[in-house]
Amino acid sequence: MDRRDTHASADRRDPRDARDRRGASSKRKRKNHGRGFKAVMTVVLILVITMVMLLCMAAIYIKNVIIPEASLEMADFNPNLTSTMYYKDPDTGNYEVMQTLYGSENRVWVDLSEIPKNLQNAAVAIEDKRFYDHNGVDWVRTAKAILLMFTGGDIQGGSTITQQLIKNMTDDDEVTVKRKVMEIFRALEFEKNYSKEEILEAYLNYIYLGQGCNGVYTAAYTYFGKHVSELSLAECASLIAITNNPSKYDPLSKREITDAETGETKTTAQYNKERQELILQAMLEQGMISQEEYDQAVAEELVFNTSGDDGESESTQTTSTVYSWYEDQVINDVIDDLVATYGWSETYAQDMVFSGGLEIYTCMNPDVQAAVDSVYQDQSNLNYTSSSGQQLQSAITIVDNSTGEVVAMAGGMGEKTVSRGLNRATGSLRPPGSSIKPLSVYAPAIELNLVTPLTVVEDSPHSQVDGRDWPVNAIGVYKGDMTVSQAVKESTNTVAVKVLDMVGAETSFNFMQDKFHIELVRSLTKNNTTYTDINLASLALGGLTQGVSTYDMAAAYSTFARQGTYIAPKTYTMVTDNNGQVLLRNESEEETILAERTTYYITEMQVVTGGSGATGKAANFSGQEIAGKTGTTTSRRDLWFVGYTPYYTAAVWTGYDQQERLSSSLGNPSTGLWRQVMSAVHQNLAYKDFTQPDSSNLRT
């Protein structure tokens, strides 16, 4: 067939074939389009489901984590009120004034009615122009801050006056998304409970304004030498200008600062003037002042108080009162508990304690504290100095066995010269030596029915350490078989180690932490070395990694005098605000941790009243039943005596602040100090026996 026939044949193809081909192509296109649409919708659906899941997770997180922590109480905080500590008179049962507390901060609270409207408006205009319209959160500024966050900007922006006040109260400066979310919910909750006027008053009284000034009252006197109510518009704007950056906008400072962008160097007074005019411009634009008022304020020459005289300011009048050791501890305990209970910052809680008009009901017994003071304030009772020139120190804590309350303490020897300094009774953690044995060795061993006082254990080395017998006894010899009771009285190290081996180091460790509530070290890495208290040496011989305080030791030992009931120690019972509303109620927490049989055996083995061979016999005084245990650490760096009567338990530590060996010629000063204090405490108390359990529970 020639080519013409071929072309002719092609030309004669059925038109329906072309339509079929076009139809098939169209079907393929529709099919592909359908597949593409399904793919897009699948992606969209996945995104929607993911977003819903994320929103659900966020809602759960906010409900379970954020909202429970969002509540914040400002209380009726007026830092111009004197707080008062009370003690209960043991004779009358009435509460008497123990100490009045005065704030040491440069702050005097002033009512909003005394703060010029121009000063209020200046703060609102530059810090939070929608302050009176929002409910604690400016959503427009917040949205901008979030946008900046996602574009790599600063997420600290967008805070309202309410949020800034909350940040000051909580001291929460962490720059995280969680903190911003928490801040938002706290602000929303906060404005449900407080009016705009209350919030603005607190804010203006709380902000830091440089030169050690907290609040506008003291700042007005410091910068302009006049009462805040007398400030002009120009002065109000200048004062508020400082809040943004006190180090940059302090008009009294002599500093010169170079602008990082322009390279221009100006004084802080010049920066203050620039920001003052910025604030005045904002007030004009927001209709808070007229053009005439603006022009006059800008033109007004600011005359600052450069003489250093703060005029009538009461803010710089600080008391020279030195609080006692006990008062120091009450102050610290109340501040810590306010922070923990209300989420306040430590600064805010401290302001409340010193200047919030609080009434604090302490556990101090004036008679017991007087006995402590008579011994510990007299330096001649421990007048020793080390070869390096250190003064020998001591601390004591006394617990009332009937209540578990801390009734007296001293954190050092001699005259106390500063308030809230180092309190060795609570702040110095020292290895307890053998005074730990009744707590970590013998109490758990008797409780677990592993030994009784008459169980016989061989006084001989437990093992070899570096080729030497371990442990060694203080007397340097081994006596062979002896009873547990004799081992306690003579503080025999070998028997303590062997009995602890029966108990198990892990069991003893848990016993100390869970029952006696003494914090030990499970694992601590320092300088590439790992330390732990879960071992025979630490728990049987008292060589603890971080040590213990007399406060915790007295609380633990008082359990023996209380027939096995542990009561958490405390220095106060209740705190009320200036309206009488209870802020803190410090309830006693009681827990039975030992059987009466155990505590009776421990007491019998530790009795020092006329006990021959008892290591603590130097603590003995007539007219009272006494039990207790001495403690001496390696190289005589720390010396202890912890003892109790049916009435009181006292723990005494003696040593140097920077550990040094105590001369053997001193003996154990802790037992002597214990005797001096406790004999005076019990002088007018009737003789009382330690409680004995039912004889059917005892083995003879």
Side-chain angles (χ1 to χ4, degrees), residues 87-145:
Y87 69 87
K88 183 182 285 187
D89 188 310
D91 297 323
T92 66
N94 298 326
Y95 278 99
E96 305 290 345
V97 174
M98 172 176 162
Q99 181 63 267
T100 52
L101 305 176
Y102 302 92
S104 58
E105 273 197 344
N106 194 7
R107 184 204 312 276
V108 174
W109 195 272
V110 59
D111 291 337
L112 192 65
S113 60
E114 294 186 75
I115 300 175
K117 191 65 178 178
N118 281 330
L119 186 57
Q120 299 176 39
N121 286 340
V124 171
I126 197 67
E127 296 293 337
D128 186 6
K129 66 181 181 181
R130 284 180 282 273
F131 173 69
Y132 291 105
D133 300 322
H134 62 63
N135 57 353
V137 179
D138 187 334
W139 294 109
V140 174
R141 294 177 67 189
T142 299
K144 291 179 180 178

Side-chain angles (χ1 to χ4, degrees), residues 454-620:
L454 295 183
T455 298
V456 175
V457 180
E458 185 181 23
D459 173 15
S460 62
H462 172 270
S463 58
Q464 292 280 312
V465 177
D466 296 329
R468 297 182 179 181
D469 292 339
W470 184 86
V472 296
N473 294 320
I475 59 175
V477 297
Y478 302 110
K479 293 185 176 181
D481 288 348
M482 65 168 56
T483 63
V484 167
S485 180
Q486 184 182 358
V488 172
K489 284 184 170 60
E490 298 182 11
S491 197
T492 306
N493 290 336
T494 56
V495 175
V497 169
K498 289 180 179 181
V499 173
L500 178 62
D501 209 8
M502 300 180 199
V503 173
E506 182 78 32
T507 300
S508 172
F509 179 90
N510 293 334
F511 208 95
M512 289 286 287
Q513 293 217 127
D514 300 339
K515 295 186 179 295
F516 289 118
H517 301 277
I518 291 178
E519 284 296 317
L520 303 179
V521 172
R522 180 170 292 277
S523 180
L524 173 67
T525 301
K526 189 175 182 180
N527 297 326
N528 296 321
T529 302
T530 300
Y531 302 89
T532 180
D533 288 331
I534 308 177
N535 59 74
L536 297 179
S538 295
L539 294 169
L541 307 181
L544 300 179
T545 304
Q546 293 181 332
V548 293
S549 66
T550 63
Y551 188 88
D552 288 335
M553 288 294 279
Y557 262 74
S558 67
T559 303
F560 300 139
R562 212 178 294 114
Q563 293 79 56
T565 300
Y566 176 86
I567 301 179
K570 61 184 180 183
T571 58
Y572 74 93
T573 58
M574 185 171 65
V575 177
T576 61
D577 64 17
N578 61 304
N579 291 321
Q581 298 296 313
V582 176
L583 286 178
L584 297 171
R585 195 182 297 278
N586 201 3
E587 304 282 0
S588 294
E589 299 177 16
E590 299 186 12
E591 178 187 2
T592 300
I593 63 171
L594 298 172
E596 289 186 20
R597 166 179 171 271
T598 301
T599 60
Y600 174 72
Y601 282 154
I602 291 290
T603 298
E604 283 294 295
M605 292 191 294
Q606 293 189 107
V607 167
V608 300
T609 312
S612 61
T615 59
K617 62 183 179 181
N620 184 35

Side-chain angles (χ1 to χ4, degrees), residues 382-398:
L382 196 67
N383 198 19
Y384 298 96
T385 305
S386 73
S387 57
S388 67
Q390 284 196 86
Q391 179 67 49
L392 188 58
Q393 279 293 345
S394 182
I396 184 173
T397 300
I398 301 181

Side-chain angles (χ1 to χ4, degrees), residues 129-371:
K129 66 181 181 181
R130 284 180 282 273
F131 173 69
Y132 291 105
D133 300 322
H134 62 63
N135 57 353
V137 179
D138 187 334
W139 294 109
V140 174
R141 294 177 67 189
T142 299
K144 291 179 180 178
I146 292 174
L147 183 61
L148 282 173
M149 178 186 72
F150 283 110
T151 56
D154 188 356
I155 70 171
Q156 296 186 74
S159 292
T160 63
I161 284 176
T162 308
Q163 289 170 292
Q164 290 179 50
L165 174 61
I166 290 171
K167 189 165 82 168
N168 284 332
M169 289 172 60
T170 59
D171 225 11
D172 190 354
D173 291 325
E174 186 182 12
V175 184
T176 62
V177 174
K178 178 187 175 182
R179 201 272 296 171
K180 292 298 293 185
V181 173
M182 177 68 74
E183 185 183 278
I184 288 171
F185 277 87
R186 274 182 168 166
L188 295 173
E189 192 69 22
F190 200 73
E191 291 223 0
K192 292 178 183 177
N193 301 320
Y194 301 102
S195 67
K196 293 290 185 180
E197 290 72 24
E198 289 174 314
I199 292 169
L200 187 58
E201 179 181 301
Y203 173 78
L204 292 173
N205 278 287
Y206 212 85
I207 52 176
Y208 181 67
L209 291 155
Q211 295 288 330
C213 299
N214 295 280
V216 295
Y217 180 97
T218 57
Y221 276 112
T222 298
Y223 291 105
F224 300 106
K226 61 177 73 172
H227 191 279
V228 63
S229 62
E230 301 171 353
L231 295 179
S232 67
L233 170 60
E235 291 168 339
C236 287
S238 175
L239 207 62
I240 292 300
I242 301 170
T243 63
N244 182 261
N245 186 341
S247 64
K248 181 178 181 180
Y249 298 111
D250 178 354
L252 296 183
S253 173
K254 306 298 184 184
R255 293 179 62 219
E256 292 187 347
I257 300 175
T258 301
D259 189 294
E261 295 182 2
T262 65
E264 185 179 3
T265 299
K266 289 178 282 191
T267 65
T268 54
Q270 290 174 312
Y271 278 114
N272 178 272
K273 179 60 179 173
E274 288 180 359
R275 187 160 178 82
Q276 178 229 31
E277 293 183 8
L278 178 67
I279 293 171
L280 290 169
Q281 181 66 38
M283 294 175 73
L284 176 63
E285 292 173 354
Q286 295 171 39
M288 296 175 174
I289 57 174
S290 66
Q291 183 67 51
E292 182 181 1
E293 289 173 315
Y294 169 81
D295 293 338
Q296 289 178 352
V298 170
E300 180 180 325
E301 182 181 355
L302 295 171
V303 180
F304 295 106
N305 178 32
T306 58
S307 65
D309 178 15
D310 62 1
E312 302 174 15
S313 173
E314 304 167 18
S315 62
T316 57
Q317 297 177 5
T318 57
T319 177
S320 59
T321 301
V322 176
Y323 301 121
S324 71
W325 296 112
Y326 196 98
E327 290 160 357
D328 275 356
Q329 192 58 39
V330 172
I331 291 168
N332 291 339
D333 289 346
V334 172
I335 289 173
D336 289 345
D337 290 348
L338 286 173
V339 170
T341 302
Y342 295 100
W344 294 341
S345 69
E346 186 172 340
T347 301
Y348 185 81
Q350 182 169 294
D351 287 343
M352 283 290 289
V353 168
F354 282 100
S355 311
L358 304 187
E359 295 193 333
I360 303 169
Y361 298 87
T362 75
C363 303
M364 189 198 77
N365 183 313
D367 297 335
V368 180
Q369 186 64 56

Side-chain angles (χ1 to χ4, degrees), residues 617-681:
K617 62 183 179 181
N620 184 35
F621 58 86
S622 62
Q624 204 57 249
E625 280 282 280
I626 303 168
K629 184 77 186 69
T630 57
T632 304
T633 61
T634 303
S635 300
R636 288 179 53 84
R637 293 182 174 183
D638 301 278
L639 301 176
W640 289 76
F641 183 74
V642 189
Y644 52 98
T645 70
Y647 292 101
Y648 296 102
T649 299
V652 177
W653 162 85
T654 304
Y656 296 105
D657 287 337
Q658 301 299 320
Q659 286 183 316
E660 289 187 56
R661 179 183 177 87
L662 278 76
S663 172
S664 300
S665 63
L666 293 175
N668 186 343
S670 293
T671 54
L673 292 169
W674 192 96
R675 183 187 68 252
Q676 284 181 269
V677 171
M678 294 292 270
S679 61
V681 168

